[in-house]
Amino acid sequence: MEGALAVKAVMIIVIVAHCGAVPTTSPSQEELSKAQEYLSQFFSDVGVSAPGSIWRSSLDSFDGTLRKMQEFFGLEVTGQLDSNTLEVMARPRCGFTDVTRYGHFDGRPKWDKALITYRITLYTPDLRQSDVDATIAKALKLYSDVIPLDFKQIYSGTADIMIVFKARDHGDFAPFDGQSGVLAHAYSPGDGSGGDTHFDDDENWTLTSAGANLFLVAAHEFGHALGLAHSQVQTALMFPTYQYVATEGYKLPRDDRQGVQALYGVRATSAQPTTKPDPNPQPRPEPDPETTSEPPPERCSRNLIFDAVTSIQRNLYFFKDGHFWKRSSSWDGITMTKIQSVWPGISKVDAAYEYKKRSAVIFFEGDHYWGISGNTVLPGYPKPLSDFGFPASVTKVDAAVHVSFTGRTLFFVRNKYWSYNERRGRMDGGYPKFIHRGLPGIGYRVDAAFENRGYLYFTYGSRQTEYHYQRRRAMRTLLNYGWMDCK
């Protein structure tokens, strides 16, 4: 392959949770053969004989290589094929060699441009295409957050990183081996096939701890596509053995961040305004870590005011001051979380609504909006409010709610509201209307709006109105904090 290193990183998973008791002495011939094959594949740079060689002729080489492997994984260096060593050999892992310098490929290949394009040519049937797009974008964002590279998805032509889900032979002389073997592989940066990433479509691709988690596997493989080899740090994303970790709010671990920044540099933060230096600076007190951040909002206050409320997959989300409370559909408690820990890049939600027909949620923040799928921000966002057909005078949406039986979404801005036809993708004629005339009984302004069990709820200040939309009738007035399970 001209212009690119034909280096391949392969994620391997072994479906063996427990092999039973493994003897610490006198390993079986089968265990010896598997161990030699493992060392030959992953530590071949230190002289292990190729698979199929006679065991005794390579015994000395095997002993030394086994010690290298035990040292790499932080095991007790015994040179013996003990149970701990066999357990590590059986773990799910990436198939690239573990004998590399500084966590980079030989020659330190990297991309020599700031914008890297990628294209998914074949999708897995295990997930919706929108979820795959969002997950791939989320995995690449781990890197663009810390290095001066940007990634752009394209939908035709040849991209820098071509991505495909395909089983068995897929045209690169490295056929996949069916379920529960090799998960994926990627090429290091370069021309031609450089950076290309392939996923075995015989696997069960998921966004959870079951099956093969697409986000974690993709993030690891994209590390290889950017020039990272494996790390000896067990908490690193690029550690050879594959294991599931919680993906909500996941950030690139320190070791991986340092490795990729050694290749590309550090992404510059936003410029700070310049000020004239104080000729007589006074010493400043050390900040109190308990008072440097804003305290979380109090959910049981009778004066509680919501920024926004929406349903997301049958659960209710109440947004306030950079946080949200989640109330599950089974009413089994309230949890509070920072918005940015779930949806990085979104610091505040002014309005939100769920459009179930497209399995999407829209968050509004200032003069732009975001598309959300589950815990993932969809690619291509944020977008300007003008996409909905608002006039230039509208720079913020106060509230939004989708009325499912009409197929319309209502947007509230100051003392007026609009009606948006989701199917046609445009505003209905005759709008905006005054809130107190079009929706009598709810007042003149709306802070947040949501639907629950057939009723609409419009909040303003600490109070809300339960509303029967078809009858245009207010049913009762409630306090916001009544949703917060307060005693």
Side-chain angles (χ1 to χ4, degrees):
M1 179 176 63
E2 296 182 1
L5 293 181
V7 179
K8 189 175 302 165
V10 184
M11 185 74 76
I12 294 179
I13 185 167
V14 182
I15 306 300
V16 181
H18 295 283
C19 298
V22 182
T24 56
T25 57
S26 303
S28 67
Q29 185 62 45
E30 181 182 0
E31 289 169 338
L32 290 172
S33 297
K34 287 183 176 179
Q36 186 180 20
E37 182 178 352
Y38 180 96
L39 296 176
S40 176
Q41 181 176 358
F42 301 120
F43 288 81
S44 58
D45 288 8
V46 288
V48 181
S49 302
S53 61
I54 299 175
W55 176 260
R56 292 189 180 278
S57 67
S58 60
L59 187 59
D60 294 338
S61 176
F62 174 86
D63 178 75
T65 306
L66 185 61
R67 290 176 180 273
K68 293 281 188 181
M69 177 263 181
Q70 290 170 331
E71 181 181 3
F72 183 93
F73 284 100
L75 301 171
E76 182 181 359
V77 181
T78 63
Q80 301 296 317
L81 197 58
D82 52 41
S83 60
N84 289 336
T85 304
L86 287 168
E87 188 274 328
V88 170
M89 288 181 172
R91 289 178 188 171
R93 62 159 295 144
C94 177
F96 186 72
T97 176
D98 295 330
V99 185
T100 56
R101 291 194 310 153
Y102 311 115
H104 302 137
F105 293 120
D106 289 340
R108 294 169 63 93
K110 67 175 186 176
W111 298 100
D112 59 359
K113 50 187 172 181
L115 179 63
I116 309 300
T117 59
Y118 66 96
R119 179 186 173 193
I120 306 172
T121 57
L122 287 176
Y123 287 80
T124 174
D126 299 336
L127 298 167
R128 293 175 300 187
Q129 288 192 16
S130 61
D131 286 337
V132 173
D133 286 342
T135 302
I136 294 298
K138 182 179 176 182
L140 289 168
K141 190 175 184 295
L142 287 175
Y143 297 97
S144 62
D145 280 346
V146 299
I147 59 174
L149 285 187
D150 292 306
F151 300 95
K152 179 182 179 182
Q153 183 175 8
I154 63 174
Y155 302 92
S156 62
T158 301
D160 298 311
I161 298 175
M162 299 291 283
I163 300 169
V164 64
F165 290 81
K166 198 170 182 181
R168 303 293 177 174
D169 189 352
H170 52 283
D172 66 352
F173 304 103
F176 289 125
D177 53 3
Q179 190 173 19
S180 303
V182 175
L183 291 180
H185 53 224
Y187 291 91
S188 60
D191 297 330
S193 299
D196 289 358
T197 305
H198 306 153
F199 298 90
D200 186 357
D201 208 28
D202 277 334
E203 308 298 339
N204 176 30
W205 294 104
T206 74
L207 303 179
T208 67
S209 59
N213 183 278
L214 178 59
F215 171 71
L216 294 174
V217 176
H220 179 104
E221 296 304 329
F222 290 146
H224 291 311
L226 293 175
L228 289 180
H230 284 153
S231 168
Q232 242 176 307
V233 178
Q234 295 191 20
T235 57
L237 176 64
M238 300 309 295
F239 191 67
T241 57
Y242 171 82
Q243 60 181 351
Y244 177 82
V245 296
T247 59
E248 189 171 295
Y250 184 85
K251 299 291 185 183
L252 198 64
R254 178 182 179 183
D255 184 73
D256 307 291
R257 184 177 72 249
Q258 291 176 337
V260 75
Q261 286 176 341
L263 286 174
Y264 296 98
V266 180
R267 191 172 193 102
T269 56
S270 58
Q272 300 296 320
T274 57
T275 58
K276 293 182 179 179
D278 186 347
N280 298 302
Q282 298 296 319
R284 296 182 178 179
E286 290 294 323
D288 183 352
E290 295 185 359
T291 61
T292 52
S293 59
E294 289 292 327
E298 172 53 53
R299 69 183 174 93
C300 286
S301 169
R302 291 179 63 87
N303 297 317
L304 176 63
I305 299 174
F306 297 133
D307 293 335
V309 184
T310 187
S311 59
I312 302 179
Q313 298 176 351
R314 298 186 300 278
N315 302 313
L316 286 176
Y317 287 66
F318 301 84
F319 296 88
K320 175 70 174 176
D321 295 340
H323 297 75
F324 68 86
W325 293 284
K326 176 183 176 182
R327 177 165 182 161
S328 70
S329 56
S330 57
W331 313 123
D332 58 356
I334 302 286
T335 59
M336 188 184 71
T337 309
K338 264 192 115 172
I339 295 172
Q340 285 193 333
S341 69
V342 179
W343 299 287
I346 303 177
S347 58
K348 186 178 185 296
V349 176
D350 297 324
Y353 75 92
E354 182 182 36
Y355 186 43
K356 294 179 181 178
K357 283 190 176 181
R358 293 182 183 170
S359 300
V361 178
I362 302 298
F363 288 173
F364 295 86
E365 183 183 15
D367 61 359
H368 53 272
Y369 69 98
W370 309 77
I372 305 295
S373 177
N375 292 341
T376 303
V377 177
L378 296 174
Y381 289 88
K383 295 182 179 180
L385 287 183
S386 57
D387 283 5
F388 280 97
F390 288 111
S393 59
V394 175
T395 58
K396 177 180 178 293
V397 173
D398 295 329
V401 61
H402 181 67
V403 184
S404 56
F405 75 90
T406 66
R408 264 65 171 177
T409 299
L410 306 180
F411 297 118
F412 298 84
V413 180
R414 295 182 288 277
N415 62 344
K416 297 178 181 178
Y417 75 104
W418 277 259
S419 175
Y420 182 78
N421 187 319
E422 292 283 355
R423 185 174 63 84
R424 294 187 177 183
R426 67 188 185 193
M427 293 290 188
D428 288 327
Y431 290 87
K433 295 181 179 180
F434 287 103
I435 294 172
H436 74 281
R437 292 178 182 172
L439 300 168
I442 70 170
Y444 294 81
R445 296 285 296 269
V446 176
D447 290 329
F450 62 103
E451 184 274 338
N452 187 63
R453 298 186 177 181
Y455 290 96
L456 299 183
Y457 293 83
F458 300 106
T459 83
Y460 183 62
S462 61
R463 296 179 179 272
Q464 63 182 243
T465 302
E466 184 182 79
Y467 201 76
H468 196 296
Y469 185 75
Q470 290 167 288
R471 297 180 183 176
R472 295 297 197 276
R473 179 179 175 185
M475 305 303 293
R476 57 178 174 160
T477 300
L478 309 165
L479 288 174
N480 289 341
Y481 90 116
W483 293 93
M484 296 291 103
D485 283 352
C486 299
K487 303 296 185 182

